[in-house]
């Protein structure tokens, strides 16, 4: 389900596909001198833009988690319907670009490879078969280059999540636990294994070892849904009646 931040009187809710679009914006600004395998660049960017497309329609009617009295999020949504949406999303990407689908398949497979349920292991096995078929069709997929592109997908996903999971302008002491040590970087980008970053104000994030061509601005699409409205109307109606807000954040080099 969605990315959700809880405040005292409201929930900030970001649809997964909108988060993925943000990931795509990030990768489209990646420095060309740091990109390996230029002929694959459009596919890698597309994988970032579409890696959560399976949730596009689903997130328009969010589900309520009665156990915690909050909307379900991408981290606590039940595993069985999540697998169905994973498969649907990879299928959609495969219709557009085989290499992008290969990246998305690996991305989701790794989420579930340690999960012991029969459904999760069946998903992993099916994705292994899908990947074998795609590799056969593409021919000569270089393992090291694919691993680098996969790390770029992870990087775009993680940086987008950093922007979506944290309150704008948050101090490093209150940063989301996912990012206490920064964001992992693909090998060979810098001598550091992780990108260090910080909010300098509510609309600006500064990054050390800045891996982009130049400073740029991304737009976070979100809805801010009042808890009283949810209690009166239910989550779906309250969410659908709320206007989509566009929140700009600039990414700049650390000074």
């Amino acid at each position: 389900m969605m990315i959700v931040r809880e405040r005292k009187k409201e929930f900030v809710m970001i649809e997964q596909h909108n988060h993925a679009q943000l990931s795509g914006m990030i990768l489209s600004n990646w420095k060309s001198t740091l990109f390996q395998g230029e002929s694959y660049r459009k596919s890698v960017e597309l994988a970032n833009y579409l890696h959560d497309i399976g949730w596009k329609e689903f997130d328009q009617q969010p589900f309520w988690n009665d156990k915690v009295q909050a909307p379900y999020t991408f981290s606590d949504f039940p595993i069985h319907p999540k697998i169905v949406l994973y498969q649907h999303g990879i299928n959609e990407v495969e219709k557009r670009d085989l290499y992008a689908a290969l990246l998305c398949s690996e991305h989701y497979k790794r989420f579930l490879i340690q999960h012991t349920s029969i459904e999760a292991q069946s998903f992993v096995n099916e994705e292994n078969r899908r990947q074998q078929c795609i590799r056969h069709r593409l021919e000569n997929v270089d393992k090291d280059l694919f691993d680098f592109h996969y790390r770029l997908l992870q990087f775009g996903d993680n940086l987008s999540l950093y922007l979506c999971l944290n309150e704008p302008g948050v101090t490093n002491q209150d940063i989301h636990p996912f990012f206490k040590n920064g964001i992992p970087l693909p090998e060979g980008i810098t001598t550091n294994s992780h990108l260090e970053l910080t909010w300098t104000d509510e609309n600006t994030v500064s990054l050390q070892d800045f891996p982009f061509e130049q400073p740029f601005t991304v737009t976070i699409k979100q809805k801010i849904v009042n808890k009283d409205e949810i209690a009166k109307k239910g989550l779906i109606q309250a969410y659908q009646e709320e206007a989509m807000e566009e929140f700009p954040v600039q990414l700049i080099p650390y000074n």
Side-chain angles (χ1 to χ4, degrees):
M1 284 296 290
M2 295 187 181
I3 297 166
V4 180
R5 299 199 311 271
E6 185 172 4
R7 296 172 176 169
K8 185 176 181 180
K9 295 184 178 180
E10 59 201 14
F11 293 105
V12 180
M13 303 179 67
I14 300 170
E15 295 175 16
Q16 286 279 78
H17 185 57
N18 287 337
H19 139 73
Q21 296 291 289
L22 184 60
S23 175
M25 293 179 213
I26 289 166
L27 254 293
S28 67
N29 283 277
W30 187 262
K31 191 176 290 186
S32 58
T33 56
L34 297 178
F35 193 94
Q36 301 172 22
E38 184 62 30
S39 63
Y40 288 100
R41 177 147 191 166
K42 289 189 180 298
S43 295
V44 176
E45 291 179 4
L46 188 66
N48 275 270
Y49 274 111
L50 297 182
H51 74 267
D52 281 329
I53 196 171
W55 304 85
K56 185 177 180 181
E57 290 81 14
F58 198 84
D59 274 354
Q60 294 173 26
Q61 293 188 326
F63 282 59
W64 185 254
N65 186 340
D66 54 358
K67 183 177 180 180
V68 298
Q69 294 300 299
Y72 269 109
T73 73
F74 72 99
S75 58
D76 62 12
F77 194 65
I79 192 68
H80 294 174
K82 188 184 287 187
I83 288 172
V84 174
L85 294 170
Y86 284 175
Q87 290 174 323
H88 170 57
I90 301 167
N91 290 342
E92 290 300 305
V93 179
E94 189 173 0
K95 294 174 185 176
R96 306 188 191 194
D97 187 293
L98 289 177
Y99 195 76
L102 192 62
L103 289 166
C104 292
S105 173
E106 184 67 14
H107 186 61
Y108 281 123
K109 187 187 81 173
R110 295 198 188 190
F111 287 163
L112 296 179
I113 201 164
Q114 300 298 327
H115 202 284
T116 58
S117 74
I118 294 173
E119 292 80 6
Q121 288 307 302
S122 176
F123 170 81
V124 170
N125 291 334
E126 286 297 321
E127 290 312 308
N128 281 332
R129 282 190 282 271
R130 185 202 302 265
Q131 290 183 24
Q132 187 177 17
C133 290
I134 292 176
R135 288 177 184 275
H136 179 73
R137 293 171 66 185
L138 290 175
E139 299 181 355
N140 302 319
V141 175
D142 182 270
K143 181 183 182 303
D144 291 338
L145 190 59
F146 177 81
D147 287 345
F148 175 76
H149 293 155
Y150 172 67
R151 299 301 176 195
L152 284 180
L153 175 56
Q154 287 184 307
F155 175 83
D157 187 31
N158 283 328
L159 182 49
S160 177
L161 285 173
Y162 175 92
L163 299 175
C164 294
L165 285 171
N166 287 301
E167 284 291 331
V170 67
T171 65
N172 286 342
Q173 288 83 3
D174 295 324
I175 209 78
H176 192 280
F178 285 180
F179 308 106
K180 289 294 185 182
N181 297 317
I183 294 175
L185 281 166
E187 289 185 13
I189 300 301
T190 74
T191 56
N192 298 317
S193 62
H194 286 69
L195 178 74
E196 295 184 19
L197 62 174
T198 188
W199 290 83
T200 56
D201 59 47
E202 288 191 353
N203 296 98
T204 312
V205 174
S206 62
L207 298 80
Q208 293 187 347
D209 300 313
F210 193 75
F212 304 107
E213 294 286 0
Q214 59 190 6
F216 64 100
T217 299
V218 296
T219 301
I220 301 172
K221 293 183 178 180
Q222 60 189 27
K223 289 190 177 186
I224 300 176
V225 186
N226 185 277
K227 292 180 178 179
D228 288 341
E229 291 299 301
I230 294 173
K232 292 176 186 175
K233 303 174 181 178
L235 176 60
I236 290 177
Q237 184 176 346
Y239 181 80
Q240 291 182 331
E241 290 180 357
E242 192 60 54
M244 186 72 73
E245 172 186 296
E246 296 191 353
F247 185 81
V249 179
Q250 186 180 36
L251 303 179
I252 63 172
Y254 181 81
N255 292 322

